[in-house]
Amino acid sequence: MHIAIAGNIGSGKTTLTKKLAKRYNWTPQFEPVDNNPYLTDYYKDMNRWAFNLQIYFLNKRFKDVVDIARGDVDVIQDRTIFEDARIFAPNLHDMGMMSDRDFANYSDLFDLMISLVKLPDLMIYIRSSIPTIVSHIQKRGRDFEKSIRIDYLEGLNKRYEDWISTYKGHLIIVDGDNLDFENNDSDFSKITDLIDQELFGLFPLK
Protein backbone atom coordinates (compact mmCIF):
# COMPACT_ATOMS: atom_id res chain seq x y z
CA MET A 1 0.00 0.00 0.00
CA HIS A 2 1.18 3.51 -0.85
CA ILE A 3 0.24 6.29 1.59
CA ALA A 4 1.39 9.83 0.75
CA ILE A 5 1.64 13.03 2.80
CA ALA A 6 1.19 16.31 0.90
CA GLY A 7 1.55 19.87 2.11
CA ASN A 8 3.44 23.12 1.81
CA ILE A 9 6.97 23.69 3.07
CA GLY A 10 6.87 23.64 6.88
CA SER A 11 3.38 22.15 7.14
CA GLY A 12 4.53 19.18 9.22
CA LYS A 13 4.79 16.44 6.58
CA THR A 14 7.95 14.83 7.96
CA THR A 15 6.66 14.87 11.53
CA LEU A 16 3.38 13.26 10.52
CA THR A 17 5.16 10.74 8.30
CA LYS A 18 7.34 9.59 11.19
CA LYS A 19 4.44 9.30 13.63
CA LEU A 20 2.19 7.40 11.21
CA ALA A 21 5.03 5.09 10.17
CA LYS A 22 5.51 4.15 13.82
CA ARG A 23 1.78 3.84 14.51
CA TYR A 24 1.01 1.56 11.54
CA ASN A 25 4.42 -0.07 11.04
CA TRP A 26 4.68 1.47 7.57
CA THR A 27 8.03 2.02 5.87
CA PRO A 28 8.73 5.78 5.75
CA GLN A 29 10.18 7.43 2.68
CA PHE A 30 11.39 10.98 3.20
CA GLU A 31 11.95 13.93 0.92
CA PRO A 32 15.64 14.20 -0.13
CA VAL A 33 16.67 17.42 1.63
CA ASP A 34 19.95 16.97 3.50
CA ASN A 35 21.81 15.47 0.54
CA ASN A 36 20.18 17.59 -2.15
CA PRO A 37 23.02 19.09 -4.26
CA TYR A 38 20.89 22.00 -5.52
CA LEU A 39 18.84 23.21 -2.56
CA THR A 40 21.29 25.67 -0.98
CA ASP A 41 22.14 27.22 -4.35
CA TYR A 42 18.45 27.36 -5.25
CA TYR A 43 17.44 29.45 -2.24
CA LYS A 44 20.34 31.82 -2.95
CA ASP A 45 19.43 32.25 -6.63
CA MET A 46 16.05 30.78 -7.57
CA ASN A 47 16.12 32.01 -11.16
CA ARG A 48 19.41 30.26 -11.90
CA TRP A 49 18.68 26.93 -10.20
CA ALA A 50 14.89 26.46 -10.40
CA PHE A 51 14.89 24.14 -13.42
CA ASN A 52 17.83 22.09 -12.12
CA LEU A 53 16.19 21.62 -8.73
CA GLN A 54 12.84 20.59 -10.17
CA ILE A 55 14.43 18.05 -12.52
CA TYR A 56 16.35 16.63 -9.56
CA PHE A 57 13.16 16.22 -7.53
CA LEU A 58 11.23 14.80 -10.48
CA ASN A 59 13.94 12.20 -11.07
CA LYS A 60 14.10 11.17 -7.41
CA ARG A 61 10.33 11.10 -6.96
CA PHE A 62 9.72 9.03 -10.08
CA LYS A 63 12.31 6.50 -8.95
CA ASP A 64 10.60 6.36 -5.54
CA VAL A 65 7.17 5.72 -7.08
CA VAL A 66 8.53 2.96 -9.29
CA ASP A 67 10.28 1.33 -6.32
CA ILE A 68 7.08 1.50 -4.25
CA ALA A 69 5.06 -0.14 -7.03
CA ARG A 70 7.62 -2.93 -7.39
CA GLY A 71 8.02 -3.50 -3.65
CA ASP A 72 5.96 -5.63 -1.29
CA VAL A 73 5.85 -3.36 1.79
CA ASP A 74 3.44 -0.62 2.88
CA VAL A 75 5.12 2.75 2.33
CA ILE A 76 4.27 6.20 3.66
CA GLN A 77 5.85 8.91 1.52
CA ASP A 78 6.83 12.43 2.56
CA ARG A 79 5.70 14.52 -0.49
CA THR A 80 4.78 13.17 -3.92
CA ILE A 81 5.73 13.52 -7.57
CA PHE A 82 2.38 15.24 -8.17
CA GLU A 83 3.32 18.17 -5.95
CA ASP A 84 6.53 18.80 -7.86
CA ALA A 85 4.67 19.04 -11.15
CA ARG A 86 1.36 20.59 -10.07
CA ILE A 87 2.61 22.95 -7.35
CA PHE A 88 6.29 23.84 -7.37
CA ALA A 89 7.20 23.93 -11.06
CA PRO A 90 4.11 25.93 -12.17
CA ASN A 91 4.62 28.35 -9.28
CA LEU A 92 8.22 28.98 -10.32
CA HIS A 93 7.12 29.44 -13.93
CA ASP A 94 4.44 31.96 -12.95
CA MET A 95 6.96 33.89 -10.84
CA GLY A 96 9.29 34.14 -13.84
CA MET A 97 11.90 31.85 -12.27
CA MET A 98 11.52 29.13 -14.90
CA SER A 99 11.44 29.98 -18.60
CA ASP A 100 8.62 28.94 -20.92
CA ARG A 101 11.03 26.59 -22.71
CA ASP A 102 12.22 24.91 -19.50
CA PHE A 103 8.69 24.61 -18.13
CA ALA A 104 7.42 23.02 -21.35
CA ASN A 105 10.31 20.55 -21.30
CA TYR A 106 9.66 19.75 -17.65
CA SER A 107 5.91 19.32 -18.19
CA ASP A 108 6.42 16.95 -21.13
CA LEU A 109 8.74 14.81 -19.04
CA PHE A 110 6.28 14.71 -16.15
CA ASP A 111 3.37 13.76 -18.42
CA LEU A 112 5.39 10.82 -19.73
CA MET A 113 6.35 9.70 -16.21
CA ILE A 114 2.86 10.02 -14.79
CA SER A 115 1.42 7.87 -17.57
CA LEU A 116 3.46 4.99 -16.15
CA VAL A 117 2.44 5.25 -12.46
CA LYS A 118 -0.78 5.35 -10.45
CA LEU A 119 -2.13 7.56 -7.69
CA PRO A 120 -1.26 6.71 -4.06
CA ASP A 121 -3.79 4.46 -2.34
CA LEU A 122 -4.40 7.27 0.17
CA MET A 123 -3.35 10.93 0.05
CA ILE A 124 -3.16 12.89 3.32
CA TYR A 125 -3.06 16.66 2.76
CA ILE A 126 -1.97 18.96 5.61
CA ARG A 127 -3.76 22.29 5.12
CA SER A 128 -1.81 25.07 6.90
CA SER A 129 -1.97 28.86 6.79
CA ILE A 130 1.07 31.03 6.09
CA PRO A 131 1.59 32.08 9.77
CA THR A 132 1.66 28.41 10.82
CA ILE A 133 4.06 27.53 8.03
CA VAL A 134 6.40 30.43 8.85
CA SER A 135 6.36 29.47 12.55
CA HIS A 136 7.35 25.89 11.70
CA ILE A 137 10.10 27.01 9.33
CA GLN A 138 11.55 29.33 11.97
CA LYS A 139 11.34 26.60 14.61
CA ARG A 140 13.38 24.06 12.65
CA GLY A 141 15.99 26.67 11.74
CA ARG A 142 17.38 25.41 8.45
CA ASP A 143 19.86 27.97 7.14
CA PHE A 144 18.88 27.53 3.50
CA GLU A 145 15.22 28.28 4.32
CA LYS A 146 15.88 31.66 5.94
CA SER A 147 15.65 33.43 2.59
CA ILE A 148 12.28 31.96 1.55
CA ARG A 149 9.91 34.74 0.53
CA ILE A 150 6.36 35.07 1.87
CA ASP A 151 4.94 35.57 -1.63
CA TYR A 152 6.62 32.31 -2.66
CA LEU A 153 4.89 30.43 0.17
CA GLU A 154 1.58 32.15 -0.61
CA GLY A 155 1.83 31.10 -4.24
CA LEU A 156 2.47 27.52 -3.20
CA ASN A 157 -0.48 27.53 -0.80
CA LYS A 158 -2.86 28.75 -3.51
CA ARG A 159 -1.66 26.06 -5.90
CA TYR A 160 -2.02 23.38 -3.22
CA GLU A 161 -5.63 24.38 -2.68
CA ASP A 162 -6.35 24.43 -6.42
CA TRP A 163 -4.75 21.01 -6.87
CA ILE A 164 -6.39 19.35 -3.89
CA SER A 165 -9.84 20.65 -4.93
CA THR A 166 -9.61 18.56 -8.11
CA TYR A 167 -7.74 15.53 -6.72
CA LYS A 168 -9.42 12.32 -7.87
CA GLY A 169 -7.98 9.74 -5.48
CA HIS A 170 -8.73 8.78 -1.87
CA LEU A 171 -8.05 11.87 0.25
CA ILE A 172 -7.89 12.94 3.90
CA ILE A 173 -7.45 16.64 4.79
CA VAL A 174 -5.69 17.47 8.07
CA ASP A 175 -6.17 20.86 9.76
CA GLY A 176 -2.53 21.88 10.24
CA ASP A 177 -3.44 25.10 12.04
CA ASN A 178 -5.57 23.59 14.80
CA LEU A 179 -4.33 20.01 15.19
CA ASP A 180 -1.05 19.73 17.11
CA PHE A 181 -0.42 16.16 15.99
CA GLU A 182 3.23 16.37 17.03
CA ASN A 183 2.64 17.03 20.73
CA ASN A 184 -1.03 16.25 21.40
CA ASP A 185 -2.04 12.58 21.44
CA SER A 186 -5.72 13.45 21.15
CA ASP A 187 -5.10 15.51 18.02
CA PHE A 188 -2.99 12.73 16.54
CA SER A 189 -5.78 10.25 17.27
CA LYS A 190 -8.21 12.38 15.27
CA ILE A 191 -6.01 11.80 12.24
CA THR A 192 -5.55 8.08 12.83
CA ASP A 193 -9.32 7.70 13.29
CA LEU A 194 -9.82 9.12 9.78
CA ILE A 195 -7.14 6.81 8.40
CA ASP A 196 -8.65 3.78 10.15
CA GLN A 197 -12.02 4.63 8.63
CA GLU A 198 -10.49 4.82 5.14
CA LEU A 199 -8.35 1.70 5.43
CA PHE A 200 -10.28 -0.59 7.77
CA GLY A 201 -13.83 0.76 7.87
CA LEU A 202 -17.03 -0.62 6.38
CA PHE A 203 -15.84 0.23 2.87
CA PRO A 204 -12.03 0.05 3.12
CA LEU A 205 -9.64 0.71 0.27
CA LYS A 206 -9.17 -2.24 -2.07
Side-chain angles (χ1 to χ4, degrees):
M1 186 173 290
H2 179 192
I3 313 299
I5 309 290
N8 205 341
I9 300 167
S11 60
K13 297 183 303 300
T14 301
T15 296
L16 187 57
T17 298
K18 290 177 179 178
K19 290 181 72 71
L20 291 176
K22 182 177 180 181
R23 165 68 172 76
Y24 291 100
N25 197 31
W26 292 334
T27 299
Q29 190 175 83
F30 298 104
E31 185 176 17
V33 173
D34 293 336
N35 298 319
N36 188 317
Y38 293 104
L39 208 53
T40 299
D41 289 330
Y42 167 73
Y43 282 123
K44 290 179 180 177
D45 188 350
M46 288 185 174
N47 291 72
R48 166 63 182 85
W49 295 103
F51 179 71
N52 304 70
L53 178 72
Q54 290 308 126
I55 289 295
Y56 173 83
F57 276 129
L58 191 64
N59 175 40
K60 292 293 185 182
R61 219 85 71 180
F62 182 66
K63 182 179 183 299
D64 290 343
V65 173
V66 171
D67 288 344
I68 291 171
R70 290 175 176 173
D72 58 359
V73 297
D74 295 331
V75 173
I76 181 166
Q77 185 183 30
D78 177 353
R79 185 164 282 152
T80 70
I81 191 173
F82 304 97
E83 292 164 84
D84 289 312
R86 300 304 185 208
I87 311 298
F88 287 88
N91 190 59
L92 289 168
H93 178 242
D94 283 353
M95 293 177 72
M97 296 177 183
M98 187 184 294
S99 70
D100 292 344
R101 179 179 59 181
D102 285 346
F103 183 63
N105 185 14
Y106 175 93
S107 298
D108 285 346
L109 181 58
F110 170 76
D111 289 341
L112 173 62
M113 289 178 169
I114 213 62
S115 70
L116 303 174
V117 298
K118 65 176 185 176
L119 293 175
D121 296 295
L122 178 63
M123 180 73 72
I124 302 171
Y125 169 55
I126 305 175
R127 173 178 282 149
S128 299
S129 65
I130 296 300
T132 297
I133 289 169
V134 170
S135 175
H136 289 172
I137 291 173
Q138 291 174 337
K139 180 180 177 182
R140 67 190 183 191
R142 293 173 179 167
D143 287 340
F144 60 81
E145 291 181 338
K146 292 179 180 178
S147 59
I148 296 179
R149 292 161 36 178
I150 295 296
D151 64 334
Y152 177 67
L153 294 173
E154 289 173 341
L156 294 178
N157 246 17
K158 181 181 184 307
R159 287 197 170 275
Y160 265 106
E161 290 299 318
D162 291 344
W163 169 63
I164 216 67
S165 68
T166 61
Y167 185 75
K168 301 301 183 182
H170 292 274
L171 175 67
I172 289 174
I173 298 179
V174 172
D175 185 348
D177 289 341
N178 297 305
L179 291 180
D180 183 8
F181 49 80
E182 179 177 10
N183 303 302
N184 188 307
D185 290 341
S186 177
D187 284 350
F188 180 61
S189 292
K190 292 177 182 177
I191 299 172
T192 58
D193 286 348
L194 292 173
I195 293 172
D196 289 344
Q197 181 178 335
E198 284 286 338
L199 300 184
F200 314 117
L202 185 60
F203 302 103
L205 299 178
K206 302 298 183 183

